[in-house]
Amino acid sequence: MDDLPKIAVIADAHFHDLEGDFEFPAIEIDGKRLAVRSWADTRESTRVFNESARALDEALSEVARRGIRHVVLLGDYTDDGQRQTTERLRIILDRHEREHDTRFYALPGNHDIYGPKGRHHTKQFLDRSDAGVLVTSDDEKAAPGVYATSRMYCEGYPIGLAPMAAFGYFRKPDYIHWETPFGASDRAEDRLYEVPSPDGCNTYALMDASYLVEPEPGLWLMMIDANVFEPRDGVFEEGEEAAFIDSTGAGWNALLRLKPFVIDWIADVTARAERLGKTLLAFSHYPVLDPFDGATGAEGVLFGETNIARRTPREAVAAALANAGLTLHFSGHLHVEGVTRRERSGRSIVNVAVPSLVAFPPAFKVIDPSVSKISIETVELASAAVDRRVFEAYGRETARTGEAPGPAFEVPDYGSFLRAHKRALVQHRYFPKEWPQDVVERISGLSVAEACELMAGAGAIEGVLEAISAHWPEDAARLARLEMLELITDWYCLRQAAVLALDRIAAPRRALYRALSARFGRAPEAGWDGSATGFLSIFFGAFDAFLDRAEAGHRRIDIKNTTCEEAAA
């Protein structure tokens, strides 16, 4: 019983079928038509698209190299649940199972499946003239230059599970034990629950895809479907997309209200696992604790109710799961690295946030469980190769629009590309579209030295650089000239990647950010006075929380007897 198998946990692979046929005249590279999503869209997305196939292949190759037999797919395994993409992913996983005797256990994320009947998608691709064109699943949107294909459609429950049916969602003969919150049956019609709209006028019987599987003696994997689709008030066509609130921001907060039977099932499973001596690992796409562990408090003050704020589980979730006996949970969804622990009524609950394969930082987790402890290793993909065909496509796209080639297209490895993508995301989305406009106007184009002068007058940078000059004299002048957009990019990288960001931010830069926080930083609780300098004070102050969280983290942790003990790898 002490010799349990390792489990790889891959979250948010967002696989896009780069070589798939989406029935439009696609760009040709090296004599092959490729379904390339545009760089114009990629640089404004929190994830990359065309790089996902190579990243998933690298992750699965590493799984095979390590001889790991069991792989959890922690939701958002597809780009957006497109029929073509999901079917192609099935083929890839089937081949990996045959060649390496691997077993996959999937969970649906908010990008994989939608409600009872699915939804349409419209995306921008590059055509054979290197121009961006729209490809849609909605025939009503078809027009000159807009191509319609049913291959872009995202299915709903239960049809959307069919391509992935062999990967845990339904019983297989070699499972030692398999069940759902509803019992032993794996039929979709036996896994329904009713959910009403707030006004009670619209009620649907929806499928829940949760399951418990024992793939090896003594190991229980509790796979929790935390997708929640709440019917809206009003009159809609039966099951249409607009009739439901998207699950993206709902997660466990909505699950407590609309799927309480899942909490009862968790309590029953945890009690049985303890009684039977099973090692229980719980998974869902959505975090059950704040994966940033409070380090993002400044965001609500500076930016209002952000996506992060809307997707952060409330304390009631931790209380309910602690009462149910859950101790260890793995999540994806927010593409973040982090370990969060809470104590509730003498019980400890730990949430391990697993990074995405297609956002900075690219990584997955490996769990090495035993009766005495559970070791969790972070496996980074930063050194993976990049697909030069995609870079050629981006270069042709930007040349056609008259843009200068981006620095993201000249990088040596995948980690460098995702860091460059984060810089482009800051430049094209976060900074111009999510920051207050008057703040953007005041600091656009400024260097760090000029921002310090804005804060405290001429010569303000000298005091900030004093300690840096003593330790890194050759770096002080360069850091004074650092673009604010570079600093802002590091801010977002630290927020998202924690310990995994440190290798990408040199020590002198980290010292600069500590100095800026010490000199100008202010706690978010003080509130923002509406000025650019007041904004920067809270923004700089957040660096301390991000750096504290990063420098306290480790790439490997051990969890023993429901307590989380971190040890440096």
Side-chain angles (χ1 to χ4, degrees):
M1 186 78 71
D2 200 49
D3 187 23
L4 294 172
K6 293 182 178 180
I7 306 103
V9 185
I10 296 175
D12 299 275
H14 284 289
F15 171 75
H16 162 62
D17 189 8
L18 182 63
E19 299 187 354
D21 182 5
F22 288 91
E23 300 184 318
F24 76 102
I27 190 172
E28 290 192 14
I29 298 176
D30 295 338
K32 190 175 185 64
R33 292 174 57 186
L34 298 178
V36 177
R37 297 283 300 278
S38 71
W39 173 246
D41 280 354
T42 301
R43 69 189 181 188
E44 292 194 27
S45 170
T46 55
R47 70 183 194 271
V48 298
F49 307 113
N50 307 299
E51 297 75 16
S52 61
R54 176 70 63 91
L56 178 61
D57 181 68
E58 180 65 28
L60 293 180
S61 295
E62 182 63 22
V63 166
R65 282 193 290 270
R66 290 169 175 249
I68 298 173
R69 187 166 182 258
H70 300 287
V71 181
V72 168
L73 299 176
L74 204 50
D76 284 3
Y77 39 74
T78 63
D79 170 44
D80 259 322
Q82 300 94 330
R83 287 168 175 159
Q84 166 75 29
T85 300
T86 309
E87 180 58 31
R88 177 60 181 164
L89 177 61
R90 179 195 66 79
I91 292 170
I92 291 171
L93 300 181
D94 277 344
R95 183 177 66 241
H96 201 273
E97 281 200 342
R98 289 194 307 272
E99 294 177 356
H100 303 286
D101 196 28
T102 317
R103 297 293 180 269
F104 293 96
Y105 311 93
L107 274 174
N110 53 299
H111 283 268
D112 300 314
I113 198 163
Y114 191 90
K117 291 191 176 180
R119 62 178 168 184
H120 286 293
H121 281 305
T122 301
K123 310 289 185 183
Q124 182 174 230
F125 291 82
L126 298 182
D127 71 2
R128 60 191 171 200
S129 67
D130 308 333
V133 296
L134 295 180
V135 181
T136 182
S137 60
D138 189 349
D139 288 335
E140 295 184 2
K141 292 184 178 179
V146 180
Y147 300 88
T149 172
S150 62
R151 298 181 183 188
M152 286 287 289
Y153 193 74
C154 171
E155 300 284 9
Y157 289 87
I159 294 175
L161 298 177
M164 304 290 285
F167 309 126
Y169 285 128
F170 298 90
R171 183 189 304 277
K172 293 178 73 171
D174 58 344
Y175 294 157
I176 297 170
H177 177 76
W178 189 94
E179 65 176 71
T180 79
F182 307 93
S185 173
D186 66 352
R187 299 193 309 167
E189 57 266 37
D190 293 333
R191 302 162 73 177
L192 302 178
Y193 68 101
E194 285 196 346
V195 56
S197 60
D199 63 5
C201 294
N202 299 313
T203 299
Y204 285 88
L206 302 179
M207 179 184 176
D208 174 84
S210 303
Y211 59 95
L212 173 71
V213 61
E214 184 174 7
E216 304 268 0
L219 177 65
W220 277 12
L221 307 179
M222 182 160 56
M223 310 293 288
I224 304 165
D225 177 6
N227 272 352
V228 178
F229 298 93
E230 182 172 8
R232 298 181 188 273
D233 296 341
V235 178
F236 301 94
E237 181 180 337
E238 177 74 15
E240 68 171 311
E241 176 184 354
F244 297 90
I245 298 172
D246 193 299
S247 63
T248 298
W252 283 87
N253 292 329
L255 184 145
L256 292 187
R257 290 187 298 108
L258 301 175
K259 297 170 78 169
F261 63 89
V262 171
I263 304 297
D264 295 337
W265 178 61
I266 291 170
D268 179 61
V269 169
T270 55
R272 280 187 283 141
E274 184 174 357
R275 185 172 68 251
L276 298 173
K278 307 293 185 181
T279 294
L280 176 65
L281 303 173
F283 307 86
S284 77
H285 181 60
Y286 305 88
V288 299
L289 303 175
D290 174 8
F292 299 96
D293 205 10
T296 56
E299 291 190 48
V301 175
L302 298 177
F303 306 115
E305 190 183 29
T306 62
N307 282 334
I308 294 297
R310 286 189 291 271
R311 300 178 188 190
T312 299
R314 296 188 295 269
E315 290 299 316
V317 174
L321 291 175
N323 288 337
L326 190 68
T327 58
L328 178 59
H329 176 269
F330 294 82
S331 68
H333 190 45
L334 295 180
H335 304 180
V336 60
E337 162 67 22
V339 178
T340 310
R341 178 186 174 191
R342 292 287 184 270
E343 296 285 346
R344 288 290 181 275
S345 303
R347 296 176 181 270
S348 175
I349 181 169
V350 176
N351 187 89
V352 178
V354 183
S356 170
L357 297 188
V358 290
F360 183 85
F364 65 95
K365 302 285 186 181
V366 172
I367 308 171
D368 188 359
S370 71
V371 172
S372 58
K373 71 174 183 179
I374 298 171
S375 296
I376 304 164
E377 178 189 359
T378 302
V379 181
E380 298 181 68
L381 301 179
S383 62
V386 290
D387 191 336
R388 294 292 167 183
R389 299 176 304 171
V390 174
F391 284 7
E392 180 178 337
Y394 291 154
R396 285 160 56 175
E397 174 191 358
T398 53
R400 192 180 195 281
T401 59
E403 295 184 45
F409 313 156
E410 302 295 333
V411 297
D413 55 45
Y414 187 49
S416 299
F417 173 73
L418 289 183
R419 170 56 176 76
H421 170 260
K422 185 71 79 176
R423 173 64 161 74
L425 182 61
V426 167
Q427 180 179 351
H428 294 278
R429 172 175 163 175
Y430 288 154
F431 187 58
K433 297 181 179 181
E434 299 185 10
W435 281 47
Q437 193 58 41
D438 56 339
V439 176
V440 171
E441 291 172 358
R442 289 296 301 277
I443 68 174
S444 286
L446 295 188
S447 66
V448 169
E450 291 166 332
C452 290
E453 183 173 331
L454 176 68
M455 299 284 290
I461 189 65
E462 300 305 324
V464 171
L465 294 179
E466 186 176 343
I468 297 170
S469 299
H471 292 87
W472 301 281
E474 69 282 2
D475 292 298
R478 180 176 50 81
L479 290 174
R481 296 190 301 270
L482 184 71
E483 295 178 39
M484 280 295 291
L485 277 182
E486 274 293 306
L487 177 149
I488 294 168
T489 300
D490 282 347
W491 192 91
Y492 281 103
C493 285
L494 281 165
R495 166 245 225 184
Q496 207 69 19
V499 64
L500 303 184
L502 296 182
D503 289 345
R504 298 282 168 175
I505 304 174
R509 272 206 201 189
R510 302 201 302 268
L512 170 68
Y513 302 152
R514 288 285 193 189
L516 289 169
S517 184
R519 174 66 176 85
F520 301 115
R522 190 155 53 89
E525 291 78 13
W528 174 38
D529 62 8
S531 69
T533 54
F535 184 99
L536 286 178
S537 291
I538 296 173
F539 186 79
F540 285 151
F543 265 121
D544 258 350
F546 290 163
L547 284 164
D548 286 346
R549 175 170 165 263
E551 291 169 1
H554 299 289
R555 289 168 169 79
R556 181 191 297 271
I557 65 169
D558 290 337
I559 298 178
K560 300 181 181 181
N561 300 323
T562 74
T563 62
C564 183
E565 298 180 2
E566 299 191 8

